[in-house]
Structures are given as structure tokens and as C-alpha cells.
Amino acid sequence: MKLVRAIYPYRKSRSDELDLDIGDVIEILHVVDENWLRGRQNSEVGIFPVSYVKTVEVPEFTPGCERMSLATANFAGQENGDLDLSKGELVVIESNIDTHWVKGRCGERCGICPLSFLHVFSHDVLQNDSIPLNNHVAAATDTGNPIMKTCDDNIPMPCF
């Protein structure tokens, strides 16, 4: 999966472009040319300038057993064990609690959060590592090695 984060705001001038706000995360669908990328942000698809984004390192996860998602809004948990979210964070979903809540991890933090605050990436998008991003996309500097751990003392998680 190739993801980028907007580092500058961009306002579209044509209907086939995407508006970007600082911090937005966009799935790359393909490279148009050395100056433009085509991507998906939520349900919108369009092109945007490559110089307005930087790459995002996707945390390791187990496809088939875990799902990758993006926090679409801030969530401040009210209960012990809730996973606080900040808009734009990548969240690895480990399991479903029920139809409205999931168990997940974000960096070193683990807990449960509402599914309605997450955009879950499709399996097809996750398999697409073949998109070559050129050197014009700045490497992310705010991501380190992903920390992998289980939330419940190594209790096995059910697969999806």
C-alpha cells in the first residue's frame, strides 16, 4: 500500500483534482507523471501535485487476520481501555468487538474504538505495492519502526 500525507494545503482548480488540507492521508492509485499523483481520499478520487505530499510508512500487520485503517476524526475515549484517536492516524484493527466497536493498536497504544471513526482500507489496495513513487515525494521523517505487540498478553486474535 502506498499512502501519502499532505504537507501543504491545495485547492483544486479542476473537477478531476483533490482538495488537500495539511495532514490529510491519501491512498495512491497511480503515478500520473513526475508532477502529479492520482489518489483516493475517503470516497473522492482525483489528482494532486506530488510536491504537496510526503510518504507515510504503513505499520506492519497481518493481512487476513488484521486490517489497516485511518482515523477520520478525533476520538477521546471515556472508559479505561478505549483507544484515543487523532484524525489521520493509522490504526491496525485486530478484531471486531461488535458491529460498532473494534479492538486495535496505534503505535504503542492499544484499546477499543468506534468503527465509525475509521476508514478501513480494502484488501485490494493493501496488496498494491507496485506503485513506484519517484524521488519528488519526500520521505516521511516522523515515522519510526512500527512497534508490534498484542494488547492482551499474547492472547491469540481471531482472524477476519
Coordinates of all heavy atoms in Angstrom, one line a residue, residues 19-91:
D19 N -8.9 18.3 -3.3 CA -8.5 19.3 -2.3 C -7.7 18.6 -1.3 O -8.0 17.5 -0.9 CB -9.7 19.9 -1.7 CG -10.4 21.0 -2.5 OD1 -9.7 21.7 -3.3 OD2 -11.6 21.2 -2.3
L20 N -6.6 19.3 -0.8 CA -5.8 18.7 0.3 C -5.7 19.7 1.4 O -5.6 20.9 1.2 CB -4.4 18.4 -0.2 CG -4.2 17.4 -1.4 CD1 -2.8 17.3 -1.7 CD2 -4.8 16.1 -1.0
D21 N -5.8 19.2 2.7 CA -5.5 20.0 3.8 C -4.3 19.4 4.5 O -4.1 18.2 4.4 CB -6.7 20.0 4.8 CG -7.9 20.8 4.3 OD1 -7.7 21.9 3.7 OD2 -9.0 20.3 4.3
I22 N -3.5 20.2 5.2 CA -2.3 19.7 5.9 C -2.8 18.5 6.8 O -3.7 18.6 7.6 CB -1.6 20.8 6.7 CG1 -1.1 21.8 5.8 CG2 -0.5 20.2 7.6 CD1 -0.5 23.0 6.5
G23 N -2.1 17.4 6.7 CA -2.3 16.2 7.5 C -3.2 15.2 6.8 O -3.3 14.0 7.3
D24 N -3.9 15.5 5.7 CA -4.8 14.5 5.0 C -3.9 13.4 4.6 O -2.8 13.5 4.1 CB -5.4 15.2 3.8 CG -6.6 16.1 4.2 OD1 -7.0 16.1 5.3 OD2 -7.1 16.8 3.3
V25 N -4.5 12.2 4.6 CA -3.8 10.9 4.2 C -4.6 10.5 2.9 O -5.8 10.4 2.9 CB -3.8 9.8 5.2 CG1 -3.2 8.6 4.7 CG2 -3.0 10.3 6.4
I26 N -3.8 10.2 1.9 CA -4.4 9.8 0.6 C -3.8 8.5 0.1 O -2.5 8.3 0.2 CB -4.0 10.9 -0.5 CG1 -4.5 12.3 0.0 CG2 -4.7 10.5 -1.8 CD1 -3.4 13.1 0.5
E27 N -4.6 7.6 -0.3 CA -4.2 6.3 -0.9 C -3.7 6.6 -2.4 O -4.5 7.2 -3.1 CB -5.3 5.3 -1.0 CG -5.9 4.9 0.3 CD -7.2 4.1 0.0 OE1 -7.1 3.1 -0.8 OE2 -8.2 4.4 0.6
I28 N -2.5 6.2 -2.8 CA -2.1 6.4 -4.1 C -2.6 5.3 -5.0 O -2.4 4.1 -4.7 CB -0.5 6.4 -4.2 CG1 0.0 7.5 -3.3 CG2 0.0 6.6 -5.6 CD1 -0.5 8.9 -3.6
L29 N -3.3 5.7 -6.1 CA -3.8 4.7 -7.1 C -2.8 4.5 -8.2 O -2.6 3.4 -8.6 CB -5.1 5.2 -7.6 CG -6.2 5.4 -6.5 CD1 -7.5 5.9 -7.2 CD2 -6.5 4.1 -5.8
H30 N -2.2 5.6 -8.7 CA -1.1 5.5 -9.6 C -0.4 6.9 -9.8 O -0.9 7.9 -9.4 CB -1.5 4.9 -11.0 CG -2.4 5.8 -11.8 ND1 -3.7 5.9 -11.7 CD2 -2.0 6.7 -12.8 CE1 -4.2 6.8 -12.5 NE2 -3.2 7.3 -13.2
V31 N 0.8 6.8 -10.4 CA 1.6 8.0 -10.7 C 1.1 8.5 -12.1 O 1.2 7.7 -13.1 CB 3.1 7.7 -10.7 CG1 3.9 8.9 -11.1 CG2 3.5 7.2 -9.3
V32 N 0.7 9.7 -12.2 CA 0.3 10.3 -13.5 C 1.5 10.6 -14.3 O 1.6 10.3 -15.4 CB -0.7 11.5 -13.3 CG1 -1.0 12.1 -14.6 CG2 -1.9 11.1 -12.5
D33 N 2.4 11.4 -13.7 CA 3.7 11.8 -14.3 C 4.6 12.3 -13.1 O 4.2 12.1 -12.0 CB 3.5 12.9 -15.4 CG 2.9 14.2 -14.9 OD1 3.1 14.6 -13.7 OD2 2.2 14.8 -15.7
E34 N 5.7 12.9 -13.4 CA 6.6 13.3 -12.4 C 6.1 14.4 -11.5 O 6.6 14.6 -10.4 CB 8.0 13.7 -13.0 CG 7.9 14.9 -13.8 CD 9.2 15.3 -14.5 OE1 10.0 14.3 -14.8 OE2 9.5 16.5 -14.6
N35 N 5.0 15.0 -11.8 CA 4.5 16.1 -11.0 C 3.1 15.8 -10.4 O 2.7 16.6 -9.5 CB 4.3 17.4 -11.9 CG 5.7 17.8 -12.4 OD1 6.6 18.0 -11.7 ND2 5.7 18.1 -13.7
W36 N 2.4 14.8 -10.8 CA 1.1 14.5 -10.4 C 0.9 13.1 -10.0 O 1.4 12.2 -10.6 CB 0.0 14.9 -11.5 CG 0.0 16.4 -11.7 CD1 0.8 17.1 -12.6 CD2 -0.8 17.3 -11.1 NE1 0.5 18.4 -12.6 CE2 -0.5 18.6 -11.7 CE3 -1.8 17.3 -10.1 CZ2 -1.2 19.8 -11.3 CZ3 -2.5 18.4 -9.7 CH2 -2.1 19.7 -10.3
L37 N 0.1 12.9 -8.9 CA -0.4 11.6 -8.5 C -1.9 11.5 -8.5 O -2.6 12.5 -8.4 CB 0.1 11.3 -7.0 CG 1.6 11.3 -6.7 CD1 1.8 11.3 -5.2 CD2 2.3 10.2 -7.4
R38 N -2.4 10.3 -8.7 CA -3.9 10.1 -8.7 C -4.1 9.3 -7.4 O -3.4 8.3 -7.1 CB -4.4 9.3 -9.9 CG -5.9 9.1 -9.9 CD -6.3 8.4 -11.2 NE -7.6 8.7 -11.6 CZ -8.1 9.9 -11.8 NH1 -7.4 11.0 -11.8 NH2 -9.4 10.1 -12.2
G39 N -5.1 9.7 -6.6 CA -5.3 9.0 -5.3 C -6.7 9.1 -4.9 O -7.6 9.8 -5.5
R40 N -7.0 8.4 -3.8 CA -8.3 8.4 -3.2 C -8.2 8.9 -1.8 O -7.4 8.4 -1.0 CB -8.8 6.9 -3.1 CG -10.2 6.8 -2.5 CD -10.7 5.4 -2.4 NE -10.9 4.8 -3.7 CZ -10.2 3.7 -4.1 NH1 -9.4 3.1 -3.3 NH2 -10.4 3.3 -5.4
Q41 N -9.1 9.8 -1.5 CA -9.2 10.3 -0.1 C -10.7 10.2 0.3 O -11.6 10.8 -0.3 CB -8.8 11.8 0.0 CG -8.9 12.4 1.4 CD -8.5 13.8 1.4 OE1 -8.7 14.5 0.4 NE2 -8.1 14.3 2.5
N42 N -10.9 9.3 1.3 CA -12.3 8.9 1.6 C -12.9 8.3 0.4 O -12.5 7.4 -0.2 CB -13.0 10.0 2.3 CG -12.3 10.5 3.6 OD1 -11.8 9.7 4.3 ND2 -12.2 11.8 3.7
S43 N -14.0 8.9 -0.1 CA -14.7 8.4 -1.3 C -14.3 9.2 -2.5 O -14.8 8.9 -3.6 CB -16.2 8.4 -1.1 OG -16.6 9.7 -0.8
E44 N -13.5 10.2 -2.4 CA -13.2 11.0 -3.6 C -11.9 10.5 -4.3 O -10.9 10.2 -3.6 CB -13.0 12.5 -3.2 CG -14.2 13.2 -2.8 CD -14.0 14.7 -2.7 OE1 -13.5 15.3 -3.6 OE2 -14.2 15.2 -1.6
V45 N -11.9 10.6 -5.6 CA -10.7 10.2 -6.4 C -10.3 11.4 -7.2 O -11.2 12.0 -7.8 CB -11.0 8.9 -7.3 CG1 -9.8 8.7 -8.2 CG2 -11.3 7.7 -6.4
G46 N -9.0 11.7 -7.3 CA -8.6 12.8 -8.2 C -7.1 12.9 -8.2 O -6.4 12.1 -7.5
I47 N -6.6 13.8 -8.9 CA -5.1 14.0 -9.0 C -4.7 15.2 -8.1 O -5.6 16.1 -7.7 CB -4.7 14.3 -10.4 CG1 -5.3 15.5 -11.0 CG2 -5.0 13.1 -11.3 CD1 -4.7 15.9 -12.4
F48 N -3.4 15.2 -7.7 CA -2.9 16.3 -6.9 C -1.4 16.4 -7.1 O -0.8 15.4 -7.5 CB -3.2 16.0 -5.4 CG -2.8 14.7 -4.9 CD1 -1.6 14.5 -4.3 CD2 -3.6 13.6 -5.1 CE1 -1.2 13.3 -3.9 CE2 -3.2 12.3 -4.6 CZ -2.0 12.2 -4.0
P49 N -0.8 17.5 -6.8 CA 0.7 17.7 -7.1 C 1.5 16.8 -6.1 O 1.3 16.9 -4.9 CB 0.9 19.2 -6.9 CG -0.3 19.7 -6.3 CD -1.4 18.7 -6.3
V50 N 2.5 16.2 -6.6 CA 3.4 15.3 -5.8 C 4.2 16.1 -4.8 O 4.5 15.7 -3.7 CB 4.3 14.5 -6.7 CG1 5.3 15.4 -7.5 CG2 5.0 13.4 -6.0
S51 N 4.5 17.4 -5.1 CA 5.3 18.2 -4.2 C 4.5 18.7 -3.0 O 5.1 19.3 -2.1 CB 5.8 19.4 -5.0 OG 4.7 20.2 -5.5
Y52 N 3.2 18.4 -2.9 CA 2.4 18.8 -1.7 C 2.3 17.6 -0.7 O 1.6 17.8 0.3 CB 1.0 19.2 -2.2 CG 1.0 20.6 -2.7 CD1 1.7 20.9 -3.9 CD2 0.3 21.6 -2.1 CE1 1.6 22.2 -4.4 CE2 0.2 22.9 -2.6 CZ 0.9 23.2 -3.8 OH 0.9 24.4 -4.3
V53 N 3.0 16.5 -0.9 CA 2.8 15.4 0.0 C 4.1 14.7 0.3 O 5.1 14.9 -0.3 CB 1.9 14.3 -0.7 CG1 0.5 14.8 -0.9 CG2 2.5 13.8 -2.0
K54 N 4.1 13.9 1.4 CA 5.3 13.1 1.7 C 4.7 11.7 2.0 O 3.6 11.4 2.3 CB 6.0 13.6 3.0 CG 5.2 13.5 4.3 CD 6.0 14.0 5.4 CE 5.2 13.9 6.7 NZ 5.9 14.4 7.9
T55 N 5.6 10.7 1.8 CA 5.2 9.3 2.0 C 4.9 9.0 3.5 O 5.5 9.6 4.4 CB 6.3 8.3 1.5 OG1 7.5 8.6 2.1 CG2 6.4 8.4 0.0
V56 N 4.1 8.0 3.7 CA 3.7 7.6 5.0 C 4.1 6.1 5.2 O 3.8 5.3 4.3 CB 2.2 7.7 5.3 CG1 1.8 7.1 6.6 CG2 1.8 9.2 5.2
E57 N 4.8 5.8 6.2 CA 5.2 4.4 6.4 C 4.0 3.7 7.0 O 3.4 4.1 8.0 CB 6.4 4.3 7.4 CG 6.9 2.9 7.6 CD 8.1 2.8 8.5 OE1 8.9 3.7 8.4 OE2 8.2 1.8 9.2
V58 N 3.6 2.6 6.4 CA 2.5 1.8 6.9 C 3.0 0.8 7.9 O 3.9 0.0 7.6 CB 1.8 1.1 5.7 CG1 0.6 0.2 6.2 CG2 1.3 2.1 4.7
P59 N 2.4 0.8 9.1 CA 2.8 -0.2 10.1 C 2.6 -1.6 9.6 O 1.7 -1.9 8.8 CB 1.9 0.1 11.3 CG 1.3 1.4 11.0 CD 1.3 1.6 9.6
E60 N 3.4 -2.5 10.2 CA 3.3 -4.0 9.8 C 2.0 -4.5 10.4 O 1.6 -4.1 11.5 CB 4.4 -4.8 10.4 CG 5.7 -4.5 9.7 CD 6.9 -5.4 10.2 OE1 6.6 -6.5 10.7 OE2 8.0 -4.9 10.2
F61 N 1.3 -5.3 9.7 CA 0.1 -6.0 10.1 C 0.0 -7.3 9.4 O 0.7 -7.5 8.4 CB -1.1 -5.1 10.0 CG -1.5 -4.9 8.5 CD1 -2.6 -5.6 8.0 CD2 -0.8 -4.0 7.7 CE1 -3.0 -5.3 6.7 CE2 -1.2 -3.8 6.4 CZ -2.2 -4.5 5.9
T62 N -0.9 -8.2 9.8 CA -1.1 -9.5 9.2 C -2.3 -9.5 8.4 O -3.4 -9.6 8.9 CB -1.2 -10.6 10.3 OG1 -0.1 -10.5 11.2 CG2 -1.3 -12.0 9.7
P63 N -2.2 -9.4 7.0 CA -3.4 -9.4 6.2 C -4.1 -10.7 6.4 O -3.5 -11.8 6.5 CB -2.8 -9.3 4.8 CG -1.4 -8.7 4.9 CD -1.0 -9.2 6.3
G64 N -5.4 -10.6 6.4 CA -6.3 -11.8 6.6 C -6.7 -11.9 8.1 O -7.8 -12.4 8.4
C65 N -5.8 -11.5 9.0 CA -6.1 -11.5 10.4 C -6.3 -10.1 11.0 O -7.0 -9.9 12.0 CB -5.0 -12.2 11.2 SG -5.0 -14.0 10.9
E66 N -5.7 -9.1 10.4 CA -5.8 -7.8 10.8 C -6.1 -6.9 9.6 O -5.8 -7.3 8.5 CB -4.4 -7.3 11.5 CG -4.1 -8.1 12.7 CD -2.7 -7.7 13.2 OE1 -1.8 -7.4 12.5 OE2 -2.6 -7.6 14.5
R67 N -6.6 -5.7 9.9 CA -7.0 -4.8 8.8 C -6.3 -3.4 9.1 O -6.2 -3.0 10.3 CB -8.5 -4.6 8.7 CG -9.2 -5.9 8.3 CD -10.7 -5.7 8.3 NE -11.1 -5.6 9.7 CZ -12.3 -5.3 10.0 NH1 -13.3 -5.0 9.1 NH2 -12.7 -5.2 11.3
M68 N -5.9 -2.7 8.1 CA -5.4 -1.4 8.2 C -6.5 -0.3 8.1 O -7.3 -0.5 7.2 CB -4.3 -1.1 7.2 CG -3.6 0.2 7.3 SD -2.7 0.4 8.9 CE -1.6 -1.0 8.9
S69 N -6.5 0.7 8.9 CA -7.5 1.7 8.8 C -6.9 3.1 9.1 O -5.7 3.2 9.6 CB -8.6 1.4 9.8 OG -8.2 1.5 11.1
L70 N -7.6 4.1 8.8 CA -7.2 5.5 9.1 C -8.3 6.2 9.9 O -9.5 6.1 9.6 CB -7.1 6.2 7.7 CG -6.8 7.7 7.7 CD1 -5.4 7.9 8.1 CD2 -7.1 8.3 6.4
A71 N -7.8 6.9 11.0 CA -8.8 7.6 11.8 C -9.3 8.8 11.0 O -8.5 9.6 10.5 CB -8.1 8.1 13.1
T72 N -10.6 8.9 10.9 CA -11.2 10.0 10.1 C -11.6 11.2 11.0 O -12.0 12.2 10.4 CB -12.4 9.5 9.3 OG1 -13.4 9.0 10.2 CG2 -12.0 8.5 8.3
A73 N -11.5 11.0 12.3 CA -11.9 12.1 13.2 C -11.2 11.8 14.5 O -10.7 10.7 14.8 CB -13.4 12.2 13.4
N74 N -11.1 12.8 15.4 CA -10.6 12.6 16.7 C -11.6 11.8 17.6 O -12.8 12.0 17.4 CB -10.3 13.9 17.4 CG -9.2 14.7 16.7 OD1 -8.3 14.2 16.0 ND2 -9.2 16.0 16.9
F75 N -11.1 11.0 18.4 CA -11.9 10.3 19.4 C -11.2 10.3 20.7 O -10.1 9.8 20.9 CB -12.2 8.8 18.9 CG -12.9 8.0 20.0 CD1 -14.2 8.2 20.3 CD2 -12.1 7.0 20.6 CE1 -14.8 7.4 21.3 CE2 -12.8 6.2 21.6 CZ -14.1 6.4 21.9
A76 N -11.9 10.9 21.7 CA -11.4 10.9 23.1 C -12.2 9.8 23.9 O -13.4 10.0 24.2 CB -11.5 12.2 23.7
G77 N -11.5 8.7 24.2 CA -12.2 7.7 25.0 C -12.7 8.1 26.3 O -12.1 9.0 27.0
Q78 N -13.8 7.5 26.7 CA -14.4 7.9 28.0 C -14.2 6.8 29.1 O -14.4 7.0 30.3 CB -15.9 8.1 27.8 CG -16.3 9.2 26.9 CD -15.8 10.5 27.3 OE1 -16.0 10.9 28.5 NE2 -15.1 11.3 26.4
E79 N -13.8 5.6 28.6 CA -13.6 4.5 29.5 C -12.2 4.0 29.5 O -11.5 4.1 28.5 CB -14.5 3.3 29.1 CG -16.0 3.7 29.0 CD -16.7 3.8 30.3 OE1 -16.2 3.2 31.3 OE2 -17.6 4.6 30.4
N80 N -11.8 3.3 30.6 CA -10.5 2.7 30.6 C -10.4 1.6 29.6 O -11.4 0.8 29.4 CB -10.2 2.1 32.0 CG -8.8 1.6 32.2 OD1 -7.9 2.0 31.5 ND2 -8.7 0.6 33.1
G81 N -9.4 1.6 28.7 CA -9.3 0.6 27.7 C -9.8 1.1 26.3 O -9.6 0.4 25.3
D82 N -10.3 2.3 26.3 CA -10.6 3.0 25.0 C -9.3 3.4 24.3 O -8.3 3.8 25.0 CB -11.5 4.2 25.1 CG -12.9 3.8 25.5 OD1 -13.3 2.6 25.4 OD2 -13.7 4.7 25.8
L83 N -9.3 3.4 23.0 CA -8.1 3.8 22.2 C -8.4 5.2 21.7 O -9.3 5.4 20.8 CB -7.9 2.9 21.0 CG -6.8 3.2 20.1 CD1 -5.4 3.3 20.8 CD2 -6.7 2.2 18.9
D84 N -7.7 6.2 22.3 CA -7.9 7.6 21.8 C -7.3 7.7 20.4 O -6.3 7.1 20.1 CB -7.1 8.6 22.7 CG -7.8 8.7 24.1 OD1 -8.9 8.4 24.2 OD2 -7.1 9.2 25.0
L85 N -8.0 8.4 19.5 CA -7.6 8.6 18.1 C -7.4 10.1 17.8 O -8.2 10.9 18.3 CB -8.7 8.0 17.2 CG -9.0 6.6 17.3 CD1 -10.2 6.2 16.4 CD2 -7.8 5.7 17.0
S86 N -6.5 10.3 16.9 CA -6.3 11.7 16.3 C -6.5 11.5 14.8 O -6.0 10.5 14.2 CB -4.9 12.2 16.6 OG -4.7 12.5 17.9
K87 N -7.2 12.4 14.2 CA -7.5 12.3 12.8 C -6.2 12.2 12.0 O -5.2 12.9 12.3 CB -8.2 13.6 12.3 CG -8.6 13.6 10.9 CD -9.3 14.8 10.5 CE -9.6 14.8 9.0 NZ -10.3 16.0 8.5
G88 N -6.2 11.2 11.1 CA -5.0 11.0 10.3 C -4.1 9.9 10.8 O -3.2 9.5 10.1
E89 N -4.3 9.3 12.0 CA -3.5 8.3 12.5 C -3.9 6.9 11.8 O -5.0 6.7 11.5 CB -3.7 8.1 14.0 CG -3.1 9.1 14.8 CD -3.3 8.8 16.3 OE1 -4.4 8.5 16.8 OE2 -2.2 8.8 17.0
L90 N -2.9 6.1 11.6 CA -3.1 4.8 11.0 C -3.4 3.8 12.2 O -2.6 3.9 13.2 CB -1.9 4.3 10.2 CG -1.7 5.0 8.9 CD1 -0.4 4.5 8.3 CD2 -2.8 4.9 8.0
V91 N -4.4 3.0 12.1 CA -4.8 2.1 13.2 C -4.9 0.7 12.6 O -5.5 0.5 11.6 CB -6.2 2.5 13.8 CG1 -6.6 1.5 14.8 CG2 -6.2 3.9 14.3

